[in-house]
Amino acid sequence: MANGNLQTKETPDNSGEVSGARLKSFIERVERLEEEKKTLAEDIRDVYSEAKATGFEPKIMRKIVSLRKANLEKRREEQELLDLYMAAIGMAE
């Protein structure tokens, strides 16, 4: 913003006016995606609840999901640092 005026890259009539229809379209798309994200988050919670009901530990499952996202080298590095830090504070096995 400069001097309190709204600036936009898209100025079809060079007047600096924002295209209301285009802006509304973007906002509505974001709103739909946010709703989908909320629904997916609820579905994920349901899966963890179902797993817990059958005896699995969701906290550990979340850790595994996180580890599976990382590449092998990153996982090894993280494990080495964890082992090093635990040894440094006397928690080594």
Side-chain angles (χ1 to χ4, degrees):
M1 287 190 172
N3 300 327
N5 295 329
L6 182 63
Q7 294 181 354
T8 178
K9 289 183 177 182
E10 185 175 320
T11 54
D13 59 4
N14 294 327
S15 67
E17 294 296 317
V18 174
S19 169
R22 176 98 179 180
L23 177 59
K24 185 176 179 182
S25 172
F26 283 127
I27 291 171
E28 288 172 345
R29 284 172 54 196
V30 168
E31 289 172 338
R32 279 191 303 274
L33 291 169
E34 288 289 343
E35 186 59 36
E36 289 176 28
K37 184 169 73 171
K38 179 182 172 190
T39 300
L40 287 172
E42 290 169 358
D43 291 347
I44 290 168
R45 276 192 300 274
D46 290 345
V47 170
Y48 282 118
S49 292
E50 183 180 342
K52 184 175 184 173
T54 60
F56 293 102
E57 180 57 51
K59 183 176 180 180
I60 303 304
M61 291 174 59
R62 289 179 192 279
K63 181 65 176 173
I64 291 172
V65 169
S66 174
L67 289 169
R68 286 172 52 111
K69 288 179 187 178
N71 67 39
L72 180 60
E73 186 58 35
K74 183 175 179 178
R75 287 195 317 258
R76 284 182 180 155
E77 180 181 320
E78 184 177 307
Q79 186 61 50
E80 288 173 6
L81 283 172
L82 180 61
D83 293 342
L84 177 67
Y85 290 6
M86 288 178 70
I89 62 170
M91 291 182 64
E93 294 180 13

